[in-house]
Amino acid sequence: MALTALKRQPAEQLATDALRDAILTGSVKLGERLTEVELADQFKVSRGTVRLALHQLSSDGLVVLKPYSGWSVITLEPRDMWEIYTMRGGLEATGARLAAEQLDEDGARQLEQAGELLFEGVRNAVGLDEIKRRDFALHRCIVELAKNSRLSHHYRLVEQQVRLFLSTTYSENYKEAVIEHHRPIVEAILSRNPTLAATLSADHCMSEGNRILRASEETDDRT
Amino acid sequence: MALTALKRQPAEQLATDALRDAILTGSVKLGERLTEVELADQFKVSRGTVRLALHQLSSDGLVVLKPYSGWSVITLEPRDMWEIYTMRGGLEATGARLAAEQLDEDGARQLEQAGELLFEGVRNAVGLDEIKRRDFALHRCIVELAKNSRLSHHYRLVEQQVRLFLSTTYSENYKEAVIEHHRPIVEAILSRNPTLAATLSADHCMSEGNRILRASEETDDRT
DNA sequence: TTTTTGCCGATTGTCACCAATCAGTAATAA
DNA sequence: TTATTACTGATTGGTGACAATCGGCAAAAA
């Protein structure tokens, strides 16, 4: 008798996750219109269930509802990118500060591991998607080390929005910068320097934000 | 013809707001159990509507759902207070920094006004509730000056949680400290010093958090 | 032509009913 | 007695039908 507990998922949760995933992977586009009946048909659940899912995602800031009129996936203007990256910077700075203040043996090990995984990936030139994944994982690791569930929650929401336009914005040649951007942050935390860790994190996000903002402006110019 | 647009509110919104208000004012207690049917009866709406409202408040972190079992208002341990005040500090620091960076004539006027309203209230000894209101208003004013809708949104959520245990934690004798705590922050922003504004804001929240944490520990000791 | 009015299809908003699940209790068997 | 099973009430999970609202279009009036 050593069976793993199988977790039932209520349909509302499944629908929410499925739709969220569809939005984040870009299989439903930004600004696309969503109707409750159509989604209900596709997911093979009732409208009420879809409705609940949509409201959840609305709280997460991924879709918006115009009353009695319709749902649609949010759109992202340059202004939104600024907002999102500013938020990310602020939250990560808080996270990095707390992480550095409270770092223990176990946390140090996790952080080193997450960092090394990213750096190793860059050196061995694994796929760009994989690098992105490890990049996100490192940032998330830092935030988790703050041991603040509310911070983690808010950060997850912002991270989602980052993914949202990262799925449209590409960049092959920023790989080299990854190591030099992240290494100092990791080391500041490992050496338990809260102020430095916070400053570096905020700056890193700002420069990332500016880089992506510039990239998207170039794209806009072409059109 | 100069009639103000009357805004119809869907029942879901009304229910959400009413329940939120009931929780924040303490007319439903922390940890109290909530059933969908009972709420539906009281609000004179259907269960589906209440259900939607509860899910919304769940996203806001005010209530929690144990699947197939029941809803209840969240409870707040000392650990939660630490989390909340840490968050608040981080967000306000970000807000204050941005406010100082982008301050314009109009913003400066609003900030001075909000500050003066609070300080004047303290000097003239208006009610404690009124002081709290003006205190919140000043903090909110600063965050709004950052002109970042996402920051405002996240801050509102955290502010709600602050109210949640401020409704149970009292303190008559912190009035004197109010001016000396807030004045420097306001002036740092007015003098457009982002770094100082951020630091002061974070420190202010931390000390507030510690004060309330101590107060609640004393209360716990008595029981 | 221009403005107003009424209509219609699409979509969300609301409701009442039934199903699934949980937690505690009583009945039953060892 | 003790452990297992079956039952029961309460609560959430899910569905289909109906009502309210919106936006655009066509008909009618000016």
Side-chain angles (χ1 to χ4, degrees):
Chain A
M1 283 290 283
L3 302 178
T4 165
L6 47 86
K7 57 173 179 183
R8 282 164 301 277
Q9 291 274 39
E12 354 179 292
Q13 200 56 42
L14 292 175
T16 307
D17 293 343
L19 186 51
R20 188 203 315 278
D21 203 59
I23 294 173
L24 290 180
T25 60
S27 74
V28 291
K29 305 281 185 302
L30 294 186
E32 185 169 337
R33 203 142 177 289
L34 300 171
T35 66
E36 297 178 356
V37 280
E38 190 178 347
L39 289 172
D41 285 350
Q42 296 200 256
F43 287 145
K44 302 294 181 201
V45 295
S46 91
R47 256 192 65 215
T49 305
V50 168
R51 204 172 156 66
L52 225 48
L54 282 166
H55 269 96
Q56 295 244 145
L57 295 180
S58 162
S59 300
D60 287 6
L62 291 179
V63 302
V64 289
L65 168 62
K66 192 175 168 192
Y68 287 103
S69 171
W71 298 90
S72 47
V73 182
I74 62 165
T75 57
L76 290 173
E77 311 298 315
R79 177 74 190 175
D80 294 296
M81 302 195 185
W82 175 82
E83 287 200 10
I84 292 165
Y85 262 89
T86 304
M87 276 301 296
R88 189 187 190 188
L91 292 178
E92 290 203 4
T94 305
R97 166 177 284 117
L98 293 171
E101 284 173 1
Q102 313 176 94
L103 195 71
D104 56 18
E105 281 304 311
D106 201 50
R109 209 161 26 243
Q110 288 176 250
L111 180 57
E112 276 173 345
Q113 197 174 326
E116 199 43 52
L117 197 61
L118 173 61
F119 303 151
E120 179 270 336
V122 172
R123 283 194 299 267
N124 295 7
V126 300
L128 190 57
D129 279 353
E130 182 60 26
I131 294 206
K132 275 186 195 165
R133 201 175 352 263
R134 294 179 186 183
D135 192 337
F136 275 117
L138 174 58
H139 285 270
R140 201 146 165 179
C141 173
I142 293 173
V143 171
E144 294 296 329
L145 288 177
K147 299 191 197 306
N148 183 322
S149 66
R150 284 167 175 85
L151 177 63
S152 297
H153 176 70
H154 285 267
Y155 182 75
R156 246 191 307 271
L157 295 184
V158 173
E159 196 206 76
Q160 271 183 18
Q161 308 235 326
V162 174
R163 298 177 105 100
L164 209 50
F165 61 74
L166 222 59
S167 67
T168 58
T169 314
Y170 259 60
S171 57
E172 258 298 346
N173 52 1
Y174 92 113
K175 279 191 194 174
E176 298 84 42
V178 168
I179 294 185
E180 68 174 292
H181 275 171
H182 291 81
R183 174 89 69 190
I185 300 176
V186 173
E187 278 172 2
I189 298 174
L190 286 176
S191 60
R192 295 170 170 75
N193 187 335
T195 309
L196 181 61
T199 306
L200 288 175
S201 288
D203 290 351
H204 166 61
C205 278
M206 295 301 169
S207 72
E208 272 292 280
N210 286 331
R211 186 179 61 72
I212 290 173
L213 191 57
R214 275 197 308 275
S216 79
E217 276 167 355
E218 284 172 21
T219 309
D220 285 350
D221 289 347
R222 271 189 235 114
T223 58
Chain B
M1 283 291 283
L3 302 178
T4 165
L6 46 86
K7 58 173 179 182
R8 282 165 300 277
Q9 291 274 40
E12 347 178 301
Q13 200 55 41
L14 292 175
T16 307
D17 292 344
L19 186 50
R20 189 203 314 278
D21 203 60
I23 294 173
L24 289 179
T25 59
S27 73
V28 291
K29 306 280 184 304
L30 293 187
E32 186 169 337
R33 203 141 176 287
L34 301 171
T35 67
E36 297 177 356
V37 280
E38 190 178 344
L39 289 173
D41 285 351
Q42 295 201 256
F43 287 144
K44 303 293 181 202
V45 295
S46 90
R47 257 192 64 216
T49 304
V50 169
R51 202 170 159 66
L52 226 50
L54 283 166
H55 269 97
Q56 295 242 144
L57 294 180
S58 162
S59 300
D60 287 6
L62 291 179
V63 301
V64 288
L65 168 62
K66 191 176 168 192
Y68 287 103
S69 170
W71 297 90
S72 47
V73 182
I74 62 165
T75 58
L76 290 173
E77 311 298 316
R79 177 75 189 174
D80 294 296
M81 302 195 186
W82 175 82
E83 286 199 9
I84 293 165
Y85 261 89
T86 304
M87 275 302 295
R88 190 188 189 187
L91 291 179
E92 289 202 5
T94 304
R97 166 178 286 117
L98 292 173
E101 284 173 1
Q102 311 175 97
L103 195 71
D104 55 18
E105 281 305 310
D106 202 49
R109 206 160 30 242
Q110 288 177 250
L111 180 57
E112 276 172 346
Q113 197 173 327
E116 200 43 54
L117 197 61
L118 173 61
F119 303 149
E120 179 269 335
V122 172
R123 284 195 298 268
N124 295 5
V126 300
L128 190 57
D129 279 354
E130 183 58 27
I131 295 208
K132 276 187 195 164
R133 201 175 351 264
R134 295 180 185 183
D135 191 338
F136 275 117
L138 173 58
H139 284 271
R140 202 145 167 179
C141 172
I142 294 173
V143 171
E144 294 297 329
L145 289 178
K147 301 191 198 304
N148 182 323
S149 66
R150 284 167 176 86
L151 178 63
S152 296
H153 176 71
H154 284 267
Y155 182 75
R156 244 190 309 269
L157 294 184
V158 174
E159 196 206 77
Q160 271 183 15
Q161 308 236 325
V162 174
R163 297 177 105 99
L164 207 51
F165 62 74
L166 223 58
S167 67
T168 59
T169 313
Y170 259 61
S171 57
E172 258 297 347
N173 52 0
Y174 94 112
K175 280 191 194 173
E176 297 83 41
V178 167
I179 295 184
E180 66 175 294
H181 275 172
H182 291 82
R183 175 88 68 189
I185 299 176
V186 172
E187 279 172 3
I189 298 174
L190 285 176
S191 61
R192 295 172 170 73
N193 186 335
T195 309
L196 181 61
T199 306
L200 288 175
S201 288
D203 290 351
H204 167 60
C205 279
M206 294 302 170
S207 73
E208 273 292 279
N210 287 331
R211 187 179 62 73
I212 289 172
L213 192 56
R214 277 197 306 277
S216 80
E217 276 167 355
E218 284 171 22
T219 309
D220 285 351
D221 289 348
R222 272 189 234 115
T223 57

